[in-house]
Amino acid sequence: MLKLMYITNRPEIAQIAESAGVDRIFIDMEYIGKAERQGGMDTVQSHHTLQDVKNIASAIEQAELLVRVNPIHEASDKYCSSREEIEAAIKNGAQIIMLPYFKTVEEVAEFLEIVDGRVKTMPLVETPEAVEVIDDILQLDGIDEIYIGLNDLSLGYGMKFMFELLSNGTVEELCHKFHKKGIPYGFGGIAALGKGQLPAEKIIAEHYRLGSTRAILSRSFCNVEKVNHMGVISSTFVNGVKEMRDYEKKVAIHSDFFRENSEDIAIAVHKICDEE
């Protein structure tokens, strides 16, 4: 089964997600440089804080707490250094630290040195430069998991649609490298079944074909900015996660359609890009 992750800094939503079977609550503190590179796009920019890490750590019991920090940086008059930020995240209860938007082996090495094995590490591959040096990055000791960020990586390659990275073989090649190293991995985001510009069912099947075991539930899975009723939010999570788990069981058993599914994705991606 996929380890499902959901981004929120609201303790009551975190508890609902946890109770519904979401495996990880995701605090997203990344903001340095993010608005500039995603300017004008309808993307989530959470601006979560170290206090949010502490609040969620106190609110959940079974789900793991994943924290995305900022890219490696020095202290300035606007923010503390990476070392201070990571230290505080660990102190406040982070169990997994995700490093975004790195471009060099040295950045990942510095990240791993700061964490020093105290919690799990998850580099987020989302730049073309990182893809170029991924073989060297995978030689580093201390990488517990790894993730592919389709949105920023597709922007880096000048693509129209982030799932082009599925249809052109980029994700498949990276997954093959991760698999050979024995490092658990995941990619992208998935909506509820029956939703998404590219149907969630297709994405889930591709996760299974590629051996991926981690996935972020997208904002559209349950957009709590648009739904205020806690009962509706709870039923959305409970029903949505159950439907996804039931579909996963079918996918795991009937693996003969993986190739056809992959071809369907390529056709759908091509059509979506033509309409852009």
Side-chain angles (χ1 to χ4, degrees):
M1 292 288 181
L2 292 168
K3 285 189 178 293
L4 299 176
M5 302 176 269
Y6 185 74
I7 298 174
T8 185
N9 67 335
R10 293 171 58 183
E12 70 276 19
I13 302 298
Q15 290 175 343
I16 288 172
E18 177 184 49
S19 297
V22 172
D23 302 283
R24 292 172 171 178
I25 303 303
F26 189 145
I27 290 292
D28 185 11
M29 300 201 304
E30 182 192 7
Y31 70 94
I32 298 175
K34 195 166 186 176
E36 290 79 5
R37 67 177 185 266
Q38 294 185 353
M41 297 189 69
D42 183 25
T43 54
V44 179
Q45 295 180 19
S46 303
H47 298 291
H48 294 170
T49 67
L50 287 165
Q51 184 60 47
D52 291 324
V53 177
K54 196 170 188 177
N55 293 344
I56 296 298
S58 299
I60 59 178
E61 295 180 354
Q62 295 177 319
E64 290 182 291
L65 179 52
L66 167 66
V67 177
R68 175 160 60 191
V69 294
N70 282 288
I72 292 294
H73 62 277
E74 298 298 328
S76 74
D77 57 350
K78 294 182 179 180
Y79 37 74
C80 65
S81 68
S82 283
R83 183 174 294 276
E84 292 171 297
E85 182 180 61
I86 292 169
E87 290 287 349
I90 293 172
K91 181 180 179 181
N92 285 7
Q95 294 168 294
I96 309 163
I97 303 285
M98 174 184 278
L99 176 71
Y101 214 72
F102 53 86
K103 297 182 177 182
T104 67
V105 179
E106 290 73 23
E107 288 170 286
V108 181
E110 182 176 348
F111 166 64
L112 297 174
E113 183 271 324
I114 294 170
V115 175
D116 194 26
R118 290 173 291 169
V119 297
K120 294 179 185 176
T121 59
M122 182 189 281
L124 177 63
V125 180
E126 55 181 348
T127 67
E129 293 89 345
V131 174
E132 285 296 312
V133 295
I134 195 64
D135 290 330
D136 294 326
I137 288 171
L138 293 176
Q139 296 300 318
L140 297 171
D141 292 328
I143 297 176
D144 295 298
E145 307 178 14
I146 199 159
Y147 208 83
I148 305 169
L150 299 184
N151 187 61
D152 274 315
L153 188 55
S154 65
L155 288 176
Y157 284 124
M159 295 176 175
K160 294 181 179 179
F161 183 44
M162 65 180 177
F163 287 113
E164 285 182 74
L165 293 164
L166 282 182
S167 63
N168 73 1
T170 300
V171 171
E172 182 162 3
E173 183 177 354
L174 286 169
C175 288
H176 178 67
K177 291 176 184 289
F178 303 154
H179 179 74
K180 282 184 67 177
K181 292 295 293 185
I183 299 173
Y185 52 91
F187 61 84
I190 48 177
L193 295 193
K195 297 182 180 179
Q197 196 171 10
L198 190 62
E201 291 88 336
K202 298 292 184 185
I203 304 302
I204 292 170
E206 194 70 349
H207 275 276
Y208 271 76
R209 184 180 77 83
L210 297 174
S212 166
T213 55
R214 283 107 174 92
I216 297 170
L217 295 174
S218 66
R219 176 175 51 175
S220 65
F221 180 86
C222 185
N223 191 342
V224 296
E225 294 177 3
K226 295 183 178 180
V227 181
N228 295 317
H229 193 290
M230 286 298 156
V232 173
I233 292 172
S234 180
S235 63
T236 299
F237 269 101
V238 170
N239 295 332
V241 171
K242 184 181 184 303
E243 289 174 358
M244 194 168 291
R245 294 310 193 193
D246 289 343
Y247 186 74
E248 283 186 81
K249 292 174 184 176
K250 294 179 182 178
V251 171
I253 295 171
H254 301 100
S255 59
D256 55 329
F257 72 92
F258 282 163
R259 181 53 58 185
E260 181 180 343
N261 182 78
S262 184
E263 292 170 355
D264 287 347
I265 286 177
I267 293 169
V269 167
H270 184 72
K271 182 178 179 182
I272 291 168
C273 289
D274 283 347
E275 292 172 353
E276 291 289 331

